[in-house]
Amino acid sequence: MLTAQRAVLPLRAFLVLLFGILVLFQTMSLPGQFAHMAREDPDMAYLRWPATAVTVFWVLCVQVVIVCTWQLLTLVKNDRIFTPASLAWVDGIVWAITAAWVVLVGVFLYVGFHADDPGLPLLLFLLTTGVSVLGLLMVVMRALLRQATTLRTDMEAVI
């Protein structure tokens, strides 16, 4: 089984790869896809820029999570994860997930009230539920990190 120290390097490699793919999507794929959709379906062309902005924002939220995770990995590598500094990076993850969730709920409500087919609203409901679970999980993990940090600080004070 991999130890935390041995998992840091491969995880960082995958985070760099993921970040690069997301930049590609943010700058080329998503804007190009919505431009193509606007040309193919002129009746829905008014959604081109709002859809581009929303999806690019979601990608940005994922990128914030990646940067915060990178910083947390640095703290793990330096054996400083149980310090107050780590809580700020976890807060960044929680806020990024919260921002993405708020926009997702807005999109879900908009689509839900305008849809003529249940497929997309159901998919958005699934995504909203998944992001809700992820956000709440991070809140619990933050509370556990806070407890562990407090315990470690107390133990260091005793020793």
Side-chain angles (χ1 to χ4, degrees), residues 50-102:
T52 301
V54 165
T55 55
V56 166
F57 175 74
W58 284 332
V59 170
L60 177 65
C61 289
V62 174
Q63 289 170 326
V64 168
V65 170
I66 290 170
V67 169
C68 291
T69 302
W70 184 280
Q71 293 298 323
L72 288 169
L73 288 173
T74 300
L75 293 172
V76 167
K77 184 178 175 196
N78 297 332
D79 195 29
R80 296 186 35 84
I81 192 65
F82 297 114
T83 61
S86 62
L87 295 173
W89 296 109
V90 176
D91 284 344
I93 292 171
V94 170
W95 281 109
I97 292 171
T98 301
W101 181 85
V102 167

